[in-house]
Amino acid sequence: MRTFALQPVADRDFEVGQPFTHRFTVRTKRSASEVFAELHGDRPLHWCKGIRRVTWTSPGPHAAGATRTVALANGLVVHERYFLWDDATRVTAFAVESANLPLFRRFGERYTVTPTADGGSEFLWEFLAEPKVPGPLKGAVLSLVKRLDLAKLERDTRAYFS
């Protein structure tokens, strides 16, 4: 299968105000350690209908440098590498290194799971999705991705953790 390389993503690319970002927060009664473990377990994101399969391609225990392949329902297959993994603060981030379709210049995600005072937690899911289209069209394409794909992930995640 032919793959297309994507440009690197850094932690600073997820900061509020950076272009091509999207974020949402889900509050849950589940503990921070339970949510963090599920996000990085044997079946991560199994509740997301738009994701067919997530396969770890590096041995556990996982840490920065861990890799996985994700097959989406729309036919996109991506190869990810974690560049940030902090078990103590429950923050991880990865960049998509390559994909089978030339849709994005850069794509990455950051997960932050924070305990709440009531024993539950808050899961912040952040995306950097820079489309691989000419400048004037990037905003329109990102808007479409947010409305169609990222909105579904958000809906599925809220339903699963509520």
PDB file of all heavy atoms in Angstrom, residues 4 18-19 38 53 56 75 77 81 90 92 97 109 130-131 143 150 158:
ATOM      1  N   PHE A   4       1.852   8.232   2.227  1.00  0.00           N
ATOM      2  CA  PHE A   4       2.266   9.617   2.058  1.00  0.00           C
ATOM      3  C   PHE A   4       2.748  10.137   3.402  1.00  0.00           C
ATOM      4  O   PHE A   4       2.035  10.045   4.400  1.00  0.00           O
ATOM      5  CB  PHE A   4       1.096  10.458   1.547  1.00  0.00           C
ATOM      6  CG  PHE A   4       0.570   9.981   0.221  1.00  0.00           C
ATOM      7  CD1 PHE A   4      -0.413   9.000   0.149  1.00  0.00           C
ATOM      8  CD2 PHE A   4       1.081  10.490  -0.964  1.00  0.00           C
ATOM      9  CE1 PHE A   4      -0.892   8.548  -1.069  1.00  0.00           C
ATOM     10  CE2 PHE A   4       0.611  10.050  -2.194  1.00  0.00           C
ATOM     11  CZ  PHE A   4      -0.371   9.073  -2.247  1.00  0.00           C
ATOM     12  N   GLN A  18      -3.661  28.369  18.031  1.00  0.00           N
ATOM     13  CA  GLN A  18      -2.893  27.879  16.888  1.00  0.00           C
ATOM     14  C   GLN A  18      -3.860  27.498  15.764  1.00  0.00           C
ATOM     15  O   GLN A  18      -4.966  27.016  16.021  1.00  0.00           O
ATOM     16  CB  GLN A  18      -2.047  26.654  17.269  1.00  0.00           C
ATOM     17  CG  GLN A  18      -0.901  26.957  18.184  1.00  0.00           C
ATOM     18  CD  GLN A  18       0.170  27.781  17.489  1.00  0.00           C
ATOM     19  OE1 GLN A  18       0.350  27.715  16.280  1.00  0.00           O
ATOM     20  NE2 GLN A  18       0.864  28.587  18.260  1.00  0.00           N
ATOM     21  N   PRO A  19      -3.462  27.715  14.525  1.00  0.00           N
ATOM     22  CA  PRO A  19      -4.359  27.349  13.418  1.00  0.00           C
ATOM     23  C   PRO A  19      -4.510  25.834  13.293  1.00  0.00           C
ATOM     24  O   PRO A  19      -3.652  25.082  13.744  1.00  0.00           O
ATOM     25  CB  PRO A  19      -3.656  27.937  12.185  1.00  0.00           C
ATOM     26  CG  PRO A  19      -2.239  28.092  12.577  1.00  0.00           C
ATOM     27  CD  PRO A  19      -2.209  28.302  14.065  1.00  0.00           C
ATOM     28  N   GLU A  38      -7.862   3.311  29.605  1.00  0.00           N
ATOM     29  CA  GLU A  38      -8.699   2.888  28.482  1.00  0.00           C
ATOM     30  C   GLU A  38      -8.243   3.528  27.168  1.00  0.00           C
ATOM     31  O   GLU A  38      -8.274   2.896  26.119  1.00  0.00           O
ATOM     32  CB  GLU A  38     -10.157   3.228  28.745  1.00  0.00           C
ATOM     33  CG  GLU A  38     -11.046   2.686  27.674  1.00  0.00           C
ATOM     34  CD  GLU A  38     -12.425   2.311  28.157  1.00  0.00           C
ATOM     35  OE1 GLU A  38     -12.779   2.607  29.304  1.00  0.00           O
ATOM     36  OE2 GLU A  38     -13.149   1.726  27.356  1.00  0.00           O
ATOM     37  N   ARG A  53     -10.290   0.130  13.512  1.00  0.00           N
ATOM     38  CA  ARG A  53      -9.301  -0.680  14.249  1.00  0.00           C
ATOM     39  C   ARG A  53      -8.113   0.184  14.634  1.00  0.00           C
ATOM     40  O   ARG A  53      -7.640   0.996  13.852  1.00  0.00           O
ATOM     41  CB  ARG A  53      -8.856  -1.837  13.362  1.00  0.00           C
ATOM     42  CG  ARG A  53      -7.926  -2.834  13.970  1.00  0.00           C
ATOM     43  CD  ARG A  53      -7.577  -3.978  13.021  1.00  0.00           C
ATOM     44  NE  ARG A  53      -7.059  -3.547  11.730  1.00  0.00           N
ATOM     45  CZ  ARG A  53      -7.771  -3.466  10.598  1.00  0.00           C
ATOM     46  NH1 ARG A  53      -9.042  -3.782  10.568  1.00  0.00           N
ATOM     47  NH2 ARG A  53      -7.200  -3.065   9.470  1.00  0.00           N
ATOM     48  N   TRP A  56      -1.628  -1.481  18.061  1.00  0.00           N
ATOM     49  CA  TRP A  56      -0.294  -1.074  18.536  1.00  0.00           C
ATOM     50  C   TRP A  56       0.741  -1.815  17.698  1.00  0.00           C
ATOM     51  O   TRP A  56       0.641  -3.028  17.518  1.00  0.00           O
ATOM     52  CB  TRP A  56      -0.115  -1.410  20.017  1.00  0.00           C
ATOM     53  CG  TRP A  56      -0.960  -0.550  20.912  1.00  0.00           C
ATOM     54  CD1 TRP A  56      -2.138  -0.885  21.499  1.00  0.00           C
ATOM     55  CD2 TRP A  56      -0.684   0.794  21.304  1.00  0.00           C
ATOM     56  NE1 TRP A  56      -2.620   0.161  22.227  1.00  0.00           N
ATOM     57  CE2 TRP A  56      -1.750   1.214  22.126  1.00  0.00           C
ATOM     58  CE3 TRP A  56       0.346   1.696  21.028  1.00  0.00           C
ATOM     59  CZ2 TRP A  56      -1.808   2.487  22.678  1.00  0.00           C
ATOM     60  CZ3 TRP A  56       0.286   2.957  21.583  1.00  0.00           C
ATOM     61  CH2 TRP A  56      -0.772   3.348  22.402  1.00  0.00           C
ATOM     62  N   GLY A  75     -11.869   4.661   5.061  1.00  0.00           N
ATOM     63  CA  GLY A  75     -10.800   4.101   4.232  1.00  0.00           C
ATOM     64  C   GLY A  75      -9.416   4.651   4.518  1.00  0.00           C
ATOM     65  O   GLY A  75      -8.421   4.123   4.029  1.00  0.00           O
ATOM     66  N   VAL A  77      -6.052   5.098   6.422  1.00  0.00           N
ATOM     67  CA  VAL A  77      -5.204   4.325   7.340  1.00  0.00           C
ATOM     68  C   VAL A  77      -4.005   5.197   7.674  1.00  0.00           C
ATOM     69  O   VAL A  77      -3.316   5.684   6.767  1.00  0.00           O
ATOM     70  CB  VAL A  77      -4.743   2.991   6.711  1.00  0.00           C
ATOM     71  CG1 VAL A  77      -3.805   2.242   7.654  1.00  0.00           C
ATOM     72  CG2 VAL A  77      -5.946   2.131   6.336  1.00  0.00           C
ATOM     73  N   ARG A  81       2.972   7.989  15.757  1.00  0.00           N
ATOM     74  CA  ARG A  81       4.078   7.829  16.708  1.00  0.00           C
ATOM     75  C   ARG A  81       3.877   8.831  17.847  1.00  0.00           C
ATOM     76  O   ARG A  81       3.718  10.025  17.620  1.00  0.00           O
ATOM     77  CB  ARG A  81       5.425   8.074  16.052  1.00  0.00           C
ATOM     78  CG  ARG A  81       6.612   7.910  17.052  1.00  0.00           C
ATOM     79  CD  ARG A  81       7.966   8.063  16.383  1.00  0.00           C
ATOM     80  NE  ARG A  81       8.162   7.116  15.308  1.00  0.00           N
ATOM     81  CZ  ARG A  81       8.540   5.842  15.453  1.00  0.00           C
ATOM     82  NH1 ARG A  81       8.777   5.368  16.655  1.00  0.00           N
ATOM     83  NH2 ARG A  81       8.698   5.062  14.400  1.00  0.00           N
ATOM     84  N   ARG A  90      -0.760  12.293  33.093  1.00  0.00           N
ATOM     85  CA  ARG A  90      -1.745  11.699  32.187  1.00  0.00           C
ATOM     86  C   ARG A  90      -1.920  12.545  30.922  1.00  0.00           C
ATOM     87  O   ARG A  90      -3.036  12.877  30.526  1.00  0.00           O
ATOM     88  CB  ARG A  90      -3.075  11.487  32.896  1.00  0.00           C
ATOM     89  CG  ARG A  90      -3.008  10.478  34.017  1.00  0.00           C
ATOM     90  CD  ARG A  90      -4.377  10.256  34.643  1.00  0.00           C
ATOM     91  NE  ARG A  90      -4.256   9.503  35.858  1.00  0.00           N
ATOM     92  CZ  ARG A  90      -4.106  10.043  37.072  1.00  0.00           C
ATOM     93  NH1 ARG A  90      -4.053  11.342  37.215  1.00  0.00           N
ATOM     94  NH2 ARG A  90      -4.003   9.276  38.125  1.00  0.00           N
ATOM     95  N   THR A  92      -0.619  12.599  26.856  1.00  0.00           N
ATOM     96  CA  THR A  92       0.080  11.952  25.747  1.00  0.00           C
ATOM     97  C   THR A  92      -0.223  12.732  24.473  1.00  0.00           C
ATOM     98  O   THR A  92      -1.253  13.399  24.371  1.00  0.00           O
ATOM     99  CB  THR A  92      -0.356  10.482  25.550  1.00  0.00           C
ATOM    100  OG1 THR A  92      -1.757  10.429  25.314  1.00  0.00           O
ATOM    101  CG2 THR A  92       0.011   9.633  26.762  1.00  0.00           C
ATOM    102  N   GLU A  97       2.601   9.995  11.162  1.00  0.00           N
ATOM    103  CA  GLU A  97       3.814  10.038  10.343  1.00  0.00           C
ATOM    104  C   GLU A  97       3.525   9.792   8.875  1.00  0.00           C
ATOM    105  O   GLU A  97       4.193  10.342   8.014  1.00  0.00           O
ATOM    106  CB  GLU A  97       4.830   9.015  10.856  1.00  0.00           C
ATOM    107  CG  GLU A  97       5.372   9.367  12.223  1.00  0.00           C
ATOM    108  CD  GLU A  97       6.494   8.461  12.647  1.00  0.00           C
ATOM    109  OE1 GLU A  97       6.419   7.219  12.400  1.00  0.00           O
ATOM    110  OE2 GLU A  97       7.458   8.979  13.209  1.00  0.00           O
ATOM    111  N   GLU A 109      -2.694  14.432  17.632  1.00  0.00           N
ATOM    112  CA  GLU A 109      -3.673  14.504  18.710  1.00  0.00           C
ATOM    113  C   GLU A 109      -2.943  14.552  20.047  1.00  0.00           C
ATOM    114  O   GLU A 109      -1.837  14.029  20.179  1.00  0.00           O
ATOM    115  CB  GLU A 109      -4.603  13.291  18.683  1.00  0.00           C
ATOM    116  CG  GLU A 109      -5.422  13.183  17.425  1.00  0.00           C
ATOM    117  CD  GLU A 109      -6.278  11.931  17.378  1.00  0.00           C
ATOM    118  OE1 GLU A 109      -6.619  11.377  18.448  1.00  0.00           O
ATOM    119  OE2 GLU A 109      -6.591  11.493  16.260  1.00  0.00           O
ATOM    120  N   GLU A 130      -4.041  19.855   9.729  1.00  0.00           N
ATOM    121  CA  GLU A 130      -3.742  20.809   8.662  1.00  0.00           C
ATOM    122  C   GLU A 130      -3.916  20.107   7.321  1.00  0.00           C
ATOM    123  O   GLU A 130      -3.138  19.234   6.958  1.00  0.00           O
ATOM    124  CB  GLU A 130      -2.318  21.348   8.781  1.00  0.00           C
ATOM    125  CG  GLU A 130      -2.012  22.376   7.717  1.00  0.00           C
ATOM    126  CD  GLU A 130      -0.598  22.938   7.794  1.00  0.00           C
ATOM    127  OE1 GLU A 130       0.132  22.640   8.753  1.00  0.00           O
ATOM    128  OE2 GLU A 130      -0.239  23.680   6.861  1.00  0.00           O
ATOM    129  N   PRO A 131      -4.954  20.487   6.582  1.00  0.00           N
ATOM    130  CA  PRO A 131      -5.215  19.848   5.296  1.00  0.00           C
ATOM    131  C   PRO A 131      -4.096  20.116   4.289  1.00  0.00           C
ATOM    132  O   PRO A 131      -3.409  21.131   4.355  1.00  0.00           O
ATOM    133  CB  PRO A 131      -6.522  20.498   4.822  1.00  0.00           C
ATOM    134  CG  PRO A 131      -7.105  21.137   6.027  1.00  0.00           C
ATOM    135  CD  PRO A 131      -5.955  21.481   6.915  1.00  0.00           C
ATOM    136  N   SER A 143     -12.967  23.067   8.303  1.00  0.00           N
ATOM    137  CA  SER A 143     -14.343  23.221   8.776  1.00  0.00           C
ATOM    138  C   SER A 143     -15.164  21.977   8.443  1.00  0.00           C
ATOM    139  O   SER A 143     -15.946  21.491   9.267  1.00  0.00           O
ATOM    140  CB  SER A 143     -14.963  24.465   8.152  1.00  0.00           C
ATOM    141  OG  SER A 143     -16.285  24.608   8.578  1.00  0.00           O
ATOM    142  N   LEU A 150     -14.709  15.018  13.173  1.00  0.00           N
ATOM    143  CA  LEU A 150     -14.394  15.294  14.571  1.00  0.00           C
ATOM    144  C   LEU A 150     -15.659  15.413  15.415  1.00  0.00           C
ATOM    145  O   LEU A 150     -15.672  15.007  16.576  1.00  0.00           O
ATOM    146  CB  LEU A 150     -13.528  16.546  14.689  1.00  0.00           C
ATOM    147  CG  LEU A 150     -12.185  16.472  13.947  1.00  0.00           C
ATOM    148  CD1 LEU A 150     -11.368  17.728  14.183  1.00  0.00           C
ATOM    149  CD2 LEU A 150     -11.401  15.232  14.318  1.00  0.00           C
ATOM    150  N   ARG A 158     -18.559  11.421  24.126  1.00  0.00           N
ATOM    151  CA  ARG A 158     -19.485  11.915  25.170  1.00  0.00           C
ATOM    152  C   ARG A 158     -20.476  10.809  25.569  1.00  0.00           C
ATOM    153  O   ARG A 158     -20.734  10.603  26.753  1.00  0.00           O
ATOM    154  CB  ARG A 158     -20.249  13.133  24.692  1.00  0.00           C
ATOM    155  CG  ARG A 158     -19.407  14.385  24.632  1.00  0.00           C
ATOM    156  CD  ARG A 158     -20.236  15.637  24.346  1.00  0.00           C
ATOM    157  NE  ARG A 158     -19.359  16.743  24.090  1.00  0.00           N
ATOM    158  CZ  ARG A 158     -18.641  17.381  24.996  1.00  0.00           C
ATOM    159  NH1 ARG A 158     -18.708  16.990  26.256  1.00  0.00           N
ATOM    160  NH2 ARG A 158     -17.863  18.383  24.670  1.00  0.00           N
TER     161      ARG A 158
END
